[in-house]
Amino acid sequence: MPAKGVLVAVTADVVIAGGGVIGTAIAWRAAAAGLDVVLADPAYGDAASLVAAGMLAPVSEALFGEGALLRVNLLALARFPSFAAELEQVTGHRVGLRREGTLAVAFDAGDYAALTRLTAFRRSAGLEAEELDSRACRKLESFLTPDVHGGVLFPGDWSVDNRRYAAALREAAAAAGVRVVRDRVTEVLTADGADDANARVRGVALAESGEIGSDRVVVAAGSWSGAVHGLPAGLRSAVRPVKGQLLRLRHPDGMPPVLTHTIRATVRGADVYLVPRADGEVIVGATQEERGPDLTVTAGAVHDLLHDAMSVLPVTSELILAETCAGLRPGTPDNGPIVGDAGPGGLLLATGHYRNGILMSAATADAAVACLTGRAPAPEWEPFGPGRFLTRQGER
Ligand SMILES: Cc1cc2nc3c(=O)[nH]c(=O)nc-3n(C[C@H](O)[C@H](O)[C@H](O)COP(=O)(O)OP(=O)(O)OC[C@H]3O[C@@H](n4cnc5c(N)ncnc54)[C@H](O)[C@@H]3O)c2cc1C
């Protein structure tokens, strides 16, 4: 890996800007498809991919009016197991895929009414859901408070240990020959000038290490994607950071696991989730805040998350508060990802995965590699091309 400040005089078949799960998954699969790949990322540590809870939750994320997003999330879920299995086989590391499902619980009657409406909608979309009274909820998860009003089991949701998964992706990418440059992509360079409708990319400029020559560039820089110069203007403003604060708890030594399923609870209108890991970690999340690129952790968020978690699972108070963290989801105006060829020719976007980037990573890699190798992505991606944010003819 070249040190910062050293001129990188390299060329590649593909340059990828961003080494979160999206960029790294694409890098691995593109290299596995025979392409020579360079991945540029200055500071992997800030990636949302390392903060996320790791839910693979198309069902409990399914909301009114987001049918196309549901279809791409279901495609992503179906792809995940074989992708993860290959990753585990290549690296020899387990990524912690769990398939117990999500138990959504409602704290009071008002919360239950809202859950019932969502459940009816999810059933109408063909998703599996099993309504449970309070007693049945506690039969599945014995540490839930008896005060829980009722719940719904969504067996179609899974989870993965996103940190293990991200580390395995990096290892697999390296093993497949992906070269990593620790620097920031400042600009996508075009051969014929950015205003020329026939412009094609010729590489990228880096903040500190010169340029990388390539006629294919993938911008996968998560919530920072809009800061890359050379993108069409409509796309630069389409991705915004949506802050999420989240806690990582750990069982004290010798304490048996307090959870099996992912719990998504609504506590007097406030949403909280608890995601168990095989190694005893429990993730509690998450806030959703429009605060720009702010990564601070606030006392109020920690308080609220713990309060709501303890309201439904009182034993949470006995777990160790191991880590508090904040990350930036790459949000878009319609909550959908932006995946596909963008123009100038050779530019591909893979960003805007918002709340479901871990879930969508494997399917996004398939779609991106299809574009890079001249094939059409799966039809589920059709509504999520960059073109929907280019509202005016020729806008850049
Ligand atoms: C609190 C929270 C909980 C979440 N929970 C879930 C969940 O349960 N399930 C789920 O599926 N998703 C979840 N998400 C969403 C998920 O984390 C994101 O959608 C996903 O991580 C986006 O991946 P990414 O690779 O696009 O971006 P990131 O992981 O943010 O990675 C972007 C990378 O690009 C790099 N970069 C930035 N600018 C440049 C540049 N100019 N040049 C080169 N590199 C650059 C950064 O250093 C970073 O490493 C959650 C997110 C948050 C914040």
Side-chain angles (χ1 to χ4, degrees):
M1 186 184 300
K4 284 191 172 181
V6 174
L7 185 75
V8 184
V10 290
T11 58
D13 293 336
V14 187
V15 182
I16 298 173
V21 290
I22 299 298
T24 313
I26 295 169
W28 174 39
R29 297 322 299 163
L35 297 172
D36 177 27
V37 181
V38 171
L39 187 154
D41 192 319
Y44 185 69
D46 283 345
S49 302
L50 301 185
V51 173
M55 290 177 288
L56 308 175
V59 185
S60 54
E61 286 283 325
L63 299 175
F64 302 104
E66 295 187 347
L69 189 58
L70 171 62
R71 285 188 285 281
V72 86
N73 279 341
L74 289 172
L75 172 81
L77 188 81
R79 174 63 171 114
F80 206 92
S82 59
F83 189 87
E86 187 173 348
L87 193 56
E88 290 184 338
Q89 200 225 326
V90 166
T91 62
H93 300 307
R94 306 306 297 265
V95 299
L97 182 61
R98 299 187 63 153
R99 305 194 197 210
E100 286 90 350
T102 297
L103 177 58
V105 295
F107 191 72
D108 64 21
D111 298 330
Y112 192 69
L115 178 60
T116 302
R117 282 193 297 276
L118 263 178
T119 302
F121 160 71
R122 289 168 184 165
R123 279 219 180 92
S124 73
L127 302 171
E128 204 180 328
E130 186 186 344
E131 267 141 349
L132 304 169
D133 62 18
S134 174
R135 208 185 164 91
C137 289
R138 277 184 296 123
K139 222 168 160 185
L140 284 182
E141 291 295 350
S142 57
F143 287 101
L144 281 173
T145 172
D147 295 339
V148 156
H149 195 88
V152 179
L153 178 65
F154 297 114
D157 282 348
W158 304 337
S159 69
V160 70
D161 184 330
N162 48 294
R163 289 186 175 176
R164 286 176 191 262
Y165 174 64
L169 281 174
R170 274 181 280 163
E171 197 173 315
V178 173
R179 290 172 287 159
V180 176
V181 174
R182 272 192 57 191
D183 203 346
R184 183 168 55 88
V185 170
T186 54
E187 184 174 1
V188 176
L189 302 169
T190 50
D192 302 314
D195 292 333
D196 184 341
N198 297 313
R200 279 203 63 86
V201 306
R202 64 172 175 83
V204 297
L206 301 169
E208 301 187 32
S209 328
E211 296 179 6
I212 304 174
S214 178
D215 61 6
R216 303 291 334 234
V217 173
V218 181
V219 174
S223 64
W224 298 272
S225 297
V228 177
H229 292 276
L231 299 192
L235 291 173
R236 290 194 71 187
S237 56
V239 183
R240 71 183 198 285
V242 181
K243 179 179 175 181
Q245 301 188 54
L246 176 148
L247 317 174
R248 292 188 140 77
L249 311 182
R250 221 166 8 89
H251 289 68
D253 288 345
M255 183 175 181
V258 298
L259 275 184
T260 308
H261 302 78
T262 290
I263 302 290
R264 292 183 86 133
T266 312
V267 182
R268 298 187 189 97
D271 293 327
V272 67
Y273 55 70
L274 298 99
V275 185
R277 303 267 193 257
D279 64 4
E281 197 175 48
V282 177
I283 313 299
V284 178
T287 66
Q288 186 134 324
E289 304 165 63
E290 300 283 350
R291 287 186 193 278
D294 169 30
L295 281 171
T296 54
V297 174
T298 62
V302 175
H303 169 272
D304 291 350
L305 290 170
L306 286 176
H307 172 270
D308 293 344
M310 281 187 241
S311 299
V312 286
L313 198 79
V315 72
T316 305
S317 64
E318 291 176 37
L319 302 181
I320 295 163
L321 178 56
E323 185 183 337
T324 61
C325 48
L328 302 174
R329 306 173 183 90
T332 63
D334 61 8
N335 298 338
I338 306 173
V339 176
D341 291 309
L347 176 63
L348 184 77
L349 260 78
T351 185
H353 292 79
Y354 192 34
R355 295 164 60 95
N356 292 300
I358 309 296
L359 166 63
M360 281 195 257
S361 53
T364 297
D366 287 349
V369 172
C371 293
L372 290 170
T373 56
R375 290 177 292 116
E380 287 85 347
W381 288 104
E382 203 271 327
F384 298 109
R388 71 193 195 277
F389 295 116
L390 299 178
T391 46
R392 273 173 283 149
Q393 181 87 24
E395 184 183 358
R396 281 282 162 87

